[in-house]
Amino acid sequence: MAIDTTIVVPTYNESGNVPELVRQLREAFTGREAEILFVDDSTDLTPAVILEMQRQQVALSGSSSGTDDPGPTVRLIHREAGQRTGGLAGAVTIGIAAAEGNFVVVMDADLQHPPAMAPLLRDRVTTAGVDLVVASRYDGSGDASGLGSGWRHRVSGTSTLLSRALFPRRVGARCTDPMTGFFCLRRDAVDLTRLRPRGFKILLEILVSHDVSVYDQPFVFGHRLTGESKASWRNGLTFVHQLLSLRFNRAFRFAAVGALGLVVNLLIMAGLLGLGTDYVVASILATEATIVHNFVLQERFVFEPHLGTAPLRFTRRQRAWRSLVYNNLDALSRLPLLVGLVEVARLHSVVAQSLTLALSFVARFLFMAKFVYEPQVQIPVLARPATQAQPNLVDEGMAS
């Protein structure tokens, strides 16, 4: 029979939770056509534990009594180091692409998302007639006490408020908990090629990039049984980056990096002038420092979101050289204008420097986007091919 529901569970070092999670999901989905698909980025024994769950199910299915319902099948996609693009969000996206079911439940492996509630989310999609059902900690009888510390409560609440405020129509008006990792969707309601998975919050990506109907289902966020939370300050920075990337386009982010670079450039130049350096020499030194500064930030905050989904034509070293050559030629072409503004127009050299930098902004952005960060020919890597056909992933099926 056809699979109705795929439960996608991204895992990272959750070996202690997997057996109990599988047990509870099998109980919850007894008599239903479902599968549990683990997308694993672990560095511990989690993959081996998942494979053991598969072997137990095979043994149960082949028992002589024939009366036991083994429950959902178990599958594993293990991503080796170097394949883990997009973090947890990337793992979920891979899982949705590989799902056999027409409905996909996404949940964590730490049992803070109650497995018994997963069938309810699936059924609510149908009964409510929506594309997406979100298990919300902040709607009605929902509860987020499982977050533990007051610090995590404040971070979660603030992140939710920011997300709803920055996206008032697609998030704020539809979903009370865009930060949750527990939800169910109709697979055909989501176009995976629109997603740019990064960090933890794949639901936010889905809500922002799709005009979907949403139903909030209150739930109580449980306490972690074993292991440790993966939340960290680095995740927080990634989330801020995700918000800005979703809200503002590349030109805006490029301008923000350029504005910061302008400040750095002018501060360095002013400092050198204060030391008695000639303004032309000061301009050159400040420009060289700014070229390095801007390249590092452009790699991380302007063009990086596309690295996981659209491979670039040039390596980082090639991008660095192209950026260096172009920006030095640009600086060289601006020197006569700088000298003219200072010597003829009698502008202060720092003011003149800022004007020449502003004038070259558009040309700089166009060059970087086209000739430094040019993508390769687009390949729909997130389309839904058979899992076995994905060469960089290991899909462990129901092997005996």
Side-chain angles (χ1 to χ4, degrees):
M1 295 179 64
I3 298 294
D4 176 83
T5 307
T6 296
I7 305 106
V8 172
V9 185
T11 49
Y12 179 74
N13 295 350
E14 294 284 0
S15 58
N17 288 317
V18 166
E20 180 61 18
L21 174 68
V22 171
R23 185 191 72 77
Q24 291 191 33
L25 283 174
R26 284 175 174 168
E27 184 177 302
F29 281 89
T30 297
R32 304 175 69 131
E33 296 300 324
E35 63 172 351
I36 307 168
L37 175 56
F38 289 95
V39 185
D40 181 68
D41 292 347
S42 297
T43 57
D44 67 353
L45 296 177
T46 300
V49 174
I50 296 170
L51 290 174
E52 176 60 25
M53 295 298 99
Q54 290 181 347
R55 283 190 286 271
Q56 291 180 12
Q57 186 178 43
V58 170
L60 184 61
S61 300
S63 63
S64 58
S65 65
T67 58
D68 292 323
D69 182 352
T73 58
V74 175
R75 284 200 289 147
L76 168 65
I77 295 175
H78 178 68
R79 303 197 299 176
E80 299 289 350
Q83 299 175 345
R84 299 164 187 161
T85 56
L88 182 143
V92 172
T93 304
I94 290 292
I96 296 173
E100 295 293 334
N102 295 321
F103 298 87
V104 178
V105 174
V106 177
M107 64 186 301
D108 293 342
D110 54 18
L111 296 170
Q112 291 183 287
H113 298 156
M117 188 176 173
L120 171 63
L121 298 183
R122 154 62 188 98
D123 294 340
R124 188 69 74 186
V125 173
T126 301
T127 59
V130 295
D131 301 314
L132 175 66
V133 172
V134 173
S136 173
R137 298 163 293 182
Y138 304 114
D139 182 60
S141 59
D143 187 279
S145 59
L147 287 170
S149 69
W151 169 250
R152 288 192 66 195
H153 275 278
R154 288 190 292 273
V155 169
S156 176
T158 301
S159 300
T160 298
L161 288 174
L162 280 174
S163 301
R164 299 185 70 193
L166 284 174
F167 305 96
R169 185 177 70 85
R170 290 201 168 183
V171 179
R174 297 180 180 179
C175 182
T176 59
D177 194 359
M179 298 295 99
T180 186
F182 192 20
F183 56 91
C184 179
L185 55 85
R186 287 193 303 105
R187 187 167 49 79
D188 58 6
V190 176
D191 179 1
L192 297 180
T193 62
R194 296 186 192 178
L195 302 181
R196 299 292 181 265
R198 74 213 87 176
F200 274 45
K201 306 305 178 184
I202 188 61
L203 176 60
L204 181 62
E205 296 266 353
I206 292 172
L207 290 170
V208 171
S209 60
H210 292 77
D211 204 9
V212 291
S213 53
V214 182
Y215 182 94
D216 277 358
Q217 178 68 46
F219 93 109
V220 176
F221 189 64
H223 294 274
R224 172 179 277 272
L225 297 184
T226 67
E228 297 180 353
S229 170
K230 310 305 186 296
S232 67
W233 64 269
R234 188 182 298 275
N235 299 142
L237 291 178
T238 301
F239 171 67
V240 172
H241 179 200
Q242 179 186 24
L243 273 183
L244 295 177
S245 298
L246 288 170
R247 179 70 278 178
F248 305 111
N249 60 26
R250 282 197 304 175
F252 182 93
R253 300 196 304 274
F254 186 85
V257 169
L260 182 58
L262 175 62
V263 172
V264 171
N265 186 297
L266 298 182
L267 286 176
I268 293 174
M269 185 173 179
L272 292 173
L273 290 174
L275 296 175
T277 308
D278 178 77
Y279 75 88
V280 174
V281 175
S283 171
I284 293 173
L285 293 176
T287 297
E288 292 303 318
T290 305
I291 288 172
V292 176
H293 167 274
N294 286 0
F295 178 77
V296 171
L297 293 189
Q298 285 164 8
E299 285 279 301
R300 182 67 183 88
F301 295 109
V302 180
F303 297 97
E304 185 272 341
H306 300 274
L307 297 182
T309 54
L312 300 178
R313 179 178 176 184
F314 303 109
T315 66
R316 178 168 293 181
R317 177 173 294 184
Q318 291 171 325
R319 296 196 298 271
W321 274 112
R322 283 174 167 251
S323 176
L324 183 67
V325 169
Y326 174 82
N327 281 289
N328 274 286
L329 290 175
D330 174 71
L332 185 63
S333 69
R334 286 189 287 104
L335 273 180
L337 178 58
L338 174 69
V339 173
L341 290 173
V342 173
E343 303 295 339
V344 179
R346 298 299 179 183
L347 293 179
H348 190 282
S349 57
V350 173
V351 176
Q353 175 85 330
S354 64
L355 288 176
T356 63
L357 288 169
L359 287 173
S360 65
F361 165 76
V362 174
R364 247 191 347 268
F365 172 72
L366 292 176
F367 181 87
M368 291 293 170
K370 176 61 180 175
F371 298 107
V372 177
Y373 294 95
E374 180 183 4
Q376 293 179 3
V377 176
Q378 294 287 335
I379 300 173
V381 297
L382 295 181
R384 191 176 173 272
T387 310
Q388 292 83 352
Q390 299 179 23
N392 293 327
L393 303 176
V394 178
D395 183 7
E396 303 289 349
M398 291 295 299
S400 57

